[in-house]
Amino acid sequence: MKEQLNEGQEFSGPLRRLSKARILALSGGALGSAEWPRKNLHTDDAKATEAGLPAPIASGIQCDGDIVRLLIRLFGERWFSHGRLTVTHRRPVFEGTWVQARARVGATTASDAGEIVHVEAWCETLEKDIVTAGIASCVKEERS
């Protein structure tokens, strides 16, 4: 466990701007391919409009990655073998939006695997709009 985790304690990841370059890098397909960037609601104005959006949006996986990065900071290497995360994407995130992963430590429960720490995790904009929200858990210590 990398951080001392107490119920109710809150943590924040770094602020990150979702630039066009970041969006294209994740959603544009294989770099150097003849079709790059692949046309989809993340990379193309017409496809976004077709989907009912005013402009292309970042992939939800980009905010998921920010949350996971924060969880790795909290749980360290244990996250990779004992962590779980479930999220929902609440609203679109457009190019230029600043986002930040946040987490609040919840209860700790016992299981056959060991003591499990439960965490509320989300990604929010500078305006505090939650764009991705979820729950995470990680085994704190395995039973001997």
Side-chain angles (χ1 to χ4, degrees), residues 47-62:
K47 290 288 187 183
T49 300
E50 241 177 71
L53 298 164
I57 60 172
S59 172
I61 293 172
Q62 292 189 299

Side-chain angles (χ1 to χ4, degrees), residues 32-132:
S33 71
E35 306 84 38
W36 196 90
R38 185 173 56 214
K39 293 190 182 310
N40 56 52
L41 62 89
H42 304 293
T43 63
D44 183 71
D45 289 333
K47 290 288 187 183
T49 300
E50 241 177 71
L53 298 164
I57 60 172
S59 172
I61 293 172
Q62 292 189 299
C63 286
D64 299 355
D66 289 336
I67 293 170
V68 169
R69 186 177 301 113
L70 178 56
L71 294 169
I72 292 167
R73 187 182 104 202
L74 300 181
F75 294 108
E77 293 291 321
R78 296 195 64 72
W79 174 256
F80 297 106
S81 57
H82 294 85
R84 294 180 58 98
L85 173 65
T86 303
V87 298
T88 58
H89 301 109
R90 293 186 170 182
R91 56 182 47 161
V93 179
F94 297 97
E95 175 188 340
T97 303
W98 287 86
V99 295
Q100 183 174 36
R102 305 284 312 275
R104 181 180 305 114
V105 179
T108 301
T109 59
S111 77
D112 291 341
E115 198 172 13
I116 299 173
V117 177
H118 300 274
V119 176
E120 291 176 66
W122 66 95
C123 200
E124 64 186 26
T125 66
L126 285 176
E127 297 77 28
K128 304 295 182 201
D129 290 328
I130 296 175
V131 295
T132 302

